[in-house]
Amino acid sequence: MNRTTIEDALFPDCPIRNILARISDKWSLLIIYTLAKTDKMPMRFKELQREIPDISQKMLTVTLRTLEEDGYITRKVYPEIPPRVEYSLTTRTLSLLPHVNSLIRWALENKDAIIKDRKKAIGNKRI
């Protein structure tokens, strides 16, 4: 099994689990958010890498390929030397953005309470 394939023992063809697993990994939503927040869409690989400095080149490549396979982004290659490749969001992803933005707003509204609860739980474990 690779990192982009999720199989549930009871429901191996569950589309919800497979879709959510692929877009909720460590990098996918961040890449989608980065492409969405910029005025410079489409973006080139190095621009994305600069915007997300803690992602490795390999993980950026793998995640972009996965997002392209699922139709969340498009990859356009220009026949130039050196080759120029640009990434942009698809219509499908633009329809997903309001939900992503709602999740981000919810996280911002609740982050202080969540961090407080985490610290409390860590403190309780030490006792």
Side-chain angles (χ1 to χ4, degrees):
M1 180 187 326
N2 65 32
R3 95 170 179 81
T4 60
T5 303
I6 303 295
E7 253 186 54
D8 187 300
L10 295 175
F11 306 103
D13 297 322
C14 178
I16 295 169
R17 181 171 179 172
N18 286 302
I19 290 168
L20 290 178
R22 285 177 68 128
I23 65 168
S24 66
D25 66 13
K26 184 175 180 179
W27 300 111
S28 293
L29 284 178
L30 186 56
I31 290 171
I32 289 170
Y33 174 76
T34 302
L35 283 167
K37 76 177 178 107
T38 184
D39 294 334
K40 293 174 39 175
M41 197 169 79
M43 288 182 80
R44 296 179 73 176
F45 185 90
K46 287 293 184 186
E47 292 172 315
L48 277 166
Q49 202 170 29
R50 274 192 296 277
E51 290 290 319
I52 311 169
D54 51 337
I55 191 170
S56 70
Q57 183 172 340
K58 179 180 178 179
M59 276 313 303
L60 181 55
T61 300
V62 168
T63 307
L64 287 169
R65 284 186 186 148
T66 301
L67 290 170
E68 183 183 15
E69 285 173 8
D70 285 359
Y72 295 108
I73 63 169
T74 57
R75 177 180 184 263
K76 184 168 183 178
V77 181
Y78 295 88
E80 302 171 351
I81 298 177
R84 178 170 49 116
V85 180
E86 293 180 340
Y87 299 91
S88 57
L89 300 176
T90 62
T91 304
R92 174 179 301 144
T93 309
L94 294 175
S95 73
L96 174 64
L97 286 178
H99 306 287
V100 171
N101 290 332
S102 293
L103 182 59
I104 291 168
R105 275 192 304 279
W106 178 88
L108 289 171
E109 291 168 4
N110 290 280
K111 71 177 177 146
D112 293 336
I114 292 168
I115 291 169
K116 180 181 171 186
D117 288 343
R118 285 181 186 171
K119 288 178 181 178
K120 182 179 171 185
I122 290 169
N124 288 342
K125 288 180 184 177
R126 292 184 183 157
I127 296 175

